[in-house]
Structure formats: structure tokens, C-alpha cells
Amino acid sequence: MNFPNLRKDEDYNRFGAEAHGNIRKFVRMNIQEADKYIVTETGGIYEKEEAKNISNWIMQRITGHDKTDLLLNRQGSLTTEQETQLDYYLTRLKNHEPVQYILNEAWFFGLKLYVDKNVLIPRPETEELADWIITDLKTKKGSASLSEEEIQILDIGSGSGCLPLAIKKRIAEVKIWSCDINPEALNIARQNSINLNIPVLFFELNFLDKGQRDKLPSFDIIVSNPPYIAEMEKGSMQKNVLEFEPATALFVPSDDPLLFYKAIADFGKTHLTKKGMIYTEINESAGKKTSDNFQSMGYNTEIRKDMQGKERMLKAWF
């Protein structure tokens, strides 16, 4: 899959000239001024620290410098082309578009991933879920022994491929399958797999279709960060999420918010090996309900809080 060069695509051509016309009238703006400019211009959208992080990220892309070089060269002047690119990025930022989509880049568990509007932006709490799984595998707690037959893992909802790629990167012995209903998301996940040289089997499947999922083999571990936000919660969501991230990866019907967890629990009853485990990210406001769903189908469960003290992860087993 060939991704467009951001500086040559039609969006850049369309917005670039307009954006440059709006840029502050500096004579050769320097890096320090550009940094302050980004923070000031995005102050009404982001908290100051987040705006500083975004500014640093953008300045690294524009100049090709790392964080240290930006500090050492803060008096260095931008070229006219760099100024144009800066205001092009700002035009999109001020429209609440996430910086990860603007730069087509996100970091997850130390892995640099390509992302665009077809996939969710990886979150820190999902990194915590990956860490839980990896730690359990490494310590052989609640999972098959790595000294035995190769462990089979199923990831439900590939997205960018962040979860299966992070797990496989840390534990090469496992074999990971990862499914998604969205072919565009799968293209991105496969490309990330190729770019990172991390082998994961990505394939298209509608997991909510029992007939499709029942054709899959058994697995030692099932992992998923499924859609879990009820449609009724849209009103409380930030514009940068609501207007740009893929709705099919976020939302479930308000009258059936545990839709995916029911399907995962049902699948596990017939496709989870004897000492197998299920790991899922969960809605912070629905921990007990999600746990009760698994327990009603015969599972034992454990809920874990994230670094913010919110119930965001669940493990289930027989």
C-alpha cells in the first residue's frame, strides 16, 4: 500500500497557499518563534502542556530535528517552505483535527505506526492492556507455557495493528491472528506490520457474525479493544474524536452497549483453550456490567485500573 507524501498531496496544494497567506508577518521566523506561535494559536483547543507537546512534534517534522537539536538551534530561521508547511498544519489543527492524523504518525509501546482517519489513534490505556498481556505471558501466569506448543493469540479489531504488533514485538514465540471488519484498517495494519518487520496474520472478518467467527480455530489468548462507547455518550465527547476518528471503531448501540463483549464471551466458550485467557479494554463506567456479563457465562474475572485510577481493563478465564 502506497501512502501519499503529505507535502505533495492535493490537500497540501489546496490549503498550503491559503495557509501561508494567514501566517504572521515575520521576516524569517525562527524555531523559537514558531514554537510559541503554535502554542498560542492552539491555546483555545488544547491545554498548554498538550499544546507544547504538539508544537514540539510538528517542529520536529518540519525541521527534521530531534528534541535536542530543536533546543540547540532555536534561533535558526525557517525557510519560506517550512513556514508554509507550518501554517498548513495549523489550519488543520485549528479545525480540531488530531495531530496524529495530520502527521500520519502515532507511537505505541515504542513502535512508530502509520495512522489515518481509517483507524483509531492508539491510547495510553491500550498500552497498559498490552503490558498486562505481555507481563502475564513472560511470567507464565494464567497462560500456556512458552516452553510448550506455540501460543495462539486472536486480536479482535485490528485498527492500526498496535496491540498485536506490540505483543509480537516483545514475545516473538507467539503466533498472532488479528481480524477487522474494515478493509482500509487492515491495509494500514498490514503496512505497519511490513514497515516494522513484525509478522502478524491480519484478515477480514465480521466478528459479530457468529457464523463467521465460529469457523476460527481455538486460541490460548483472546484480546480486544472493541467499540464500547454508547451512542448516547456522543454529546460529551471531544470534537477531535467525534469528527475525525472512525465511528465504527468507537460506538455501539445505546440499548446494547456490551454487544462486543457478549460476542467475545460466547466465542470463548467454544474457542478458548483449557488454560486460556481473554483480555479486553473496557468502558470506564461499565466495569461491573462487563464483568457480570462474563461471569454470567461461567467466567472468572479480574478488573484492573489504569494509571488514572479508572477501571479500563478486564481479564476473564474459566
Side-chain angles (χ1 to χ4, degrees):
M1 179 178 181
N2 294 318
F3 296 116
N5 183 322
L6 185 59
R7 293 177 59 183
K8 294 181 180 179
D9 66 20
E10 61 181 11
D11 285 338
Y12 180 75
N13 293 332
R14 185 171 72 251
F15 289 119
E18 176 186 348
H20 187 51
N22 295 329
I23 203 163
R24 293 192 307 173
K25 303 302 181 181
F26 287 109
V27 176
R28 301 299 300 273
M29 180 189 293
N30 65 37
I31 288 174
Q32 185 175 31
E33 290 169 331
D35 178 58
K36 291 180 179 178
Y37 180 40
I38 296 170
V39 174
T40 299
E41 291 293 299
T42 59
I45 301 173
Y46 301 102
E47 297 291 335
K48 189 172 183 178
E49 284 306 310
E50 186 174 5
K52 286 182 178 179
N53 289 333
I54 290 172
S55 177
N56 191 273
W57 200 347
I58 287 177
M59 291 308 299
Q60 288 184 62
R61 171 62 65 87
I62 289 173
T63 64
H65 294 325
D66 60 20
K67 290 182 180 180
T68 301
D69 285 340
L70 283 177
L71 289 172
L72 293 174
N73 294 281
R74 57 184 179 273
Q75 297 304 317
S77 298
L78 299 184
T79 66
T80 300
E81 183 181 6
Q82 288 172 333
E83 287 187 352
T84 300
Q85 192 173 23
L86 167 59
D87 232 24
Y88 163 63
Y89 289 155
L90 270 174
T91 298
R92 296 174 67 179
L93 277 173
K94 289 161 74 172
N95 194 39
H96 296 262
E97 186 174 357
V99 66
Q100 292 90 340
Y101 290 161
I102 294 171
L103 301 181
N104 295 124
E105 178 182 304
W107 287 86
F108 184 86
F109 226 84
L111 302 176
K112 183 179 178 181
L113 303 171
Y114 176 95
V115 294
D116 65 22
K117 63 183 180 180
N118 291 294
V119 297
L120 290 180
I121 296 167
R123 295 331 198 251
E125 53 267 24
T126 310
E127 287 190 336
E128 294 184 62
L129 178 63
D131 184 65
W132 190 7
I133 298 166
I134 292 165
T135 299
D136 276 3
L137 280 168
K138 285 186 174 180
T139 58
K140 304 177 184 179
K141 292 180 179 179
S143 66
S145 170
L146 289 177
S147 64
E148 298 173 2
E149 189 175 348
E150 184 180 60
I151 290 178
Q152 301 271 353
I153 298 176
L154 174 66
D155 169 57
I156 302 163
S158 310
S160 65
C162 60
L163 265 173
L165 291 171
I167 296 168
K168 180 69 174 177
K169 176 67 174 180
R170 296 307 187 280
I171 306 179
E173 297 89 342
V174 301
K175 182 176 181 179
I176 306 184
W177 303 41
S178 182
C179 63
D180 203 294
I181 194 173
N182 181 359
E184 292 301 321
L186 288 168
N187 284 339
I188 291 170
R190 291 185 184 115
Q191 189 62 46
N192 281 326
S193 175
I194 293 169
N195 292 344
L196 295 166
N197 194 27
I198 303 174
V200 170
L201 175 61
F202 291 102
F203 63 102
E204 187 173 345
L205 183 134
N206 178 4
F207 193 78
L208 292 180
D209 184 332
K210 183 174 173 59
Q212 290 188 41
R213 68 175 184 255
D214 280 351
K215 294 178 182 178
L216 295 173
S218 294
F219 295 92
D220 302 294
I221 291 176
I222 297 169
V223 57
S224 184
N225 177 20
Y228 55 68
I229 303 173
E231 291 277 353
M232 66 174 61
E233 297 180 67
K234 283 184 175 181
S236 63
M237 297 186 66
Q238 294 180 336
K239 188 175 181 180
N240 62 321
V241 176
L242 193 59
E243 295 190 3
F244 290 95
E245 299 204 52
T248 55
L250 290 168
F251 300 109
V252 286
S254 297
D255 60 355
D256 194 9
L258 300 181
L259 176 65
F260 279 89
Y261 300 100
K262 292 175 182 176
I264 293 169
D266 174 72
F267 179 76
K269 287 175 65 177
T270 54
H271 290 74
L272 195 63
T273 57
K274 186 177 180 181
K275 294 183 179 181
M277 290 283 172
I278 295 175
Y279 297 83
T280 67
E281 190 170 316
I282 61 176
N283 190 319
E284 64 186 75
S285 64
K288 186 178 186 307
K289 290 181 179 178
T290 310
S291 178
D292 288 347
N293 167 68
F294 279 96
Q295 290 182 10
S296 70
M297 300 183 74
Y299 291 88
N300 300 295
T301 61
E302 177 187 348
I303 291 178
R304 182 169 290 191
K305 295 180 180 180
D306 65 13
M307 288 186 292
Q308 306 300 319
K310 299 175 181 179
E311 295 183 341
R312 297 304 304 269
M313 295 161 277
L314 178 142
K315 179 164 69 173
W317 68 97
F318 288 114

